[in-house]
Amino acid sequence: MWSICKLKHVQSICIIHMVAKIGFQANDAVTSLKLVEKGLSKEDLALAVLIDFPAQIIGGWYAASWSRGSRPLRPWLWAFWVRLGFAAGAMGLVYFFPNIKPVPSSYFWGIVAFTVLSSFSSTVQFVGVSAFHTQISDPLIGGTYMTLLNTVSNLGGTWPRYFVLKGVDMFSEATCHIKQEGSEILIKATECVSEHGKATCTDLGGTCVTERDGYYIVSWICIGLGVSILVFLEAIAMESQH
């Protein structure tokens, strides 16, 4: 294992995997939470995911056919730009959430379409990079190669989420509106951002009002980093295929 890690190209690929998924981490980790927070029922969200599942089976077959040949990372790079676009589109999906109940069917089917297409681009990336791992693995110890590279790839999609979630809370500002004896008392409550603060505000008979949502700030930061990283990684990814 250590001898594999010392290979220059393996180190380059591991670096790519560790930073490549930063651009769409806010979308992957927070968008669904924001939709539920805005008023989308968990049942509707689960239904959207259920509809997405068979679509990804078909999408995986197409992604596999695109990843054949000497440049399996090409669809991975194309899907990278698409996922960054969906990360930007997710902010619009959250921002324009309708204020009427129940959620209009047109908006719900928009969420379904967004979920299916976004997941499809993720599937293209996964299949493309898996095909690349298969091509570069030594047949004698292919399992070791695949385990190492897939583990690093999964880690690259996990470690940024802690900082994304912390960043959303850090950049968010909220106030607790409490009505008492016919008058409205405005209490500044930064703790209204956390679950504990929201529960406290509710116990006091107040309502949390978000003045600044850190989700949008963190999303733009992630997208900006993602674009910068992708421009840098394209040359490395192309070189790694040779």
Side-chain angles (χ1 to χ4, degrees):
M1 176 70 76
W2 179 243
S3 60
I4 296 175
C5 294
K6 291 191 295 183
L7 297 175
K8 180 180 178 181
H9 289 301
V10 172
Q11 293 174 356
S12 298
I13 295 168
C14 288
I15 292 173
I16 290 175
H17 284 326
M18 288 298 293
V19 300
K21 298 179 181 179
I22 292 177
F24 22 83
Q25 283 305 302
N27 179 28
D28 292 347
V30 187
T31 297
S32 59
L33 300 177
K34 284 296 175 181
L35 289 174
V36 172
E37 183 181 291
K38 289 276 188 175
L40 182 69
S41 68
K42 295 180 180 179
E43 291 78 10
D44 286 343
L45 184 61
L47 179 59
V49 175
L50 180 63
I51 296 173
D52 173 62
F53 178 73
Q56 296 318 307
I57 297 177
I58 301 173
W61 182 83
Y62 280 106
S65 63
W66 296 338
S67 300
R68 295 171 184 167
S70 60
R71 295 183 179 272
L73 287 182
R74 181 176 294 175
W76 181 82
L77 291 170
W78 290 345
F80 202 121
W81 287 109
V82 175
R83 290 189 73 182
L84 289 176
F86 278 116
M91 289 186 284
L93 198 67
V94 173
Y95 184 81
F96 292 107
F97 191 91
N99 293 323
I100 56 177
K101 298 290 182 67
V103 175
S105 58
S106 58
Y107 183 84
F108 170 73
W109 287 110
I111 292 177
V112 172
F114 182 90
T115 301
V116 170
L117 294 175
S118 179
S119 297
F120 176 69
S121 61
S122 177
T123 300
V124 171
Q125 280 204 306
F126 174 77
V127 174
V129 81
S130 296
F132 174 66
H133 291 167
T134 302
Q135 285 190 4
I136 65 173
S137 296
D138 188 331
L140 297 178
I141 51 173
T144 305
Y145 263 97
M146 295 291 289
T147 300
L148 171 64
L149 296 176
N150 285 332
T151 299
V152 176
S153 178
N154 292 332
L155 180 61
T158 302
W159 74 263
R161 297 198 176 194
Y162 172 83
F163 300 98
V164 166
L165 295 173
K166 285 293 184 181
V168 170
D169 287 345
M170 182 179 68
F171 288 114
S172 295
E173 289 186 3
T175 54
C176 184
H177 289 251
I178 302 176
K179 289 185 178 181
Q180 188 175 10
E181 297 180 357
S183 62
E184 184 172 321
I185 303 174
L186 182 62
I187 300 177
K188 188 73 172 180
T190 54
E191 273 300 312
C192 214
V193 173
S194 67
E195 292 301 323
H196 178 267
K198 292 176 182 178
T200 302
C201 185
T202 301
D203 292 340
L204 293 173
T207 304
C208 282
V209 177
T210 301
E211 296 178 342
R212 185 179 68 192
D213 196 336
Y215 164 71
Y216 302 105
I217 299 174
V218 174
S219 291
W220 281 119
I221 292 174
C222 287
I223 293 172
L225 289 174
V227 171
S228 302
I229 290 171
L230 179 55
V231 171
F232 173 73
L233 290 184
E234 278 186 316
I236 299 178
M238 288 302 179
E239 181 184 352
S240 299
Q241 295 182 111
H242 297 296

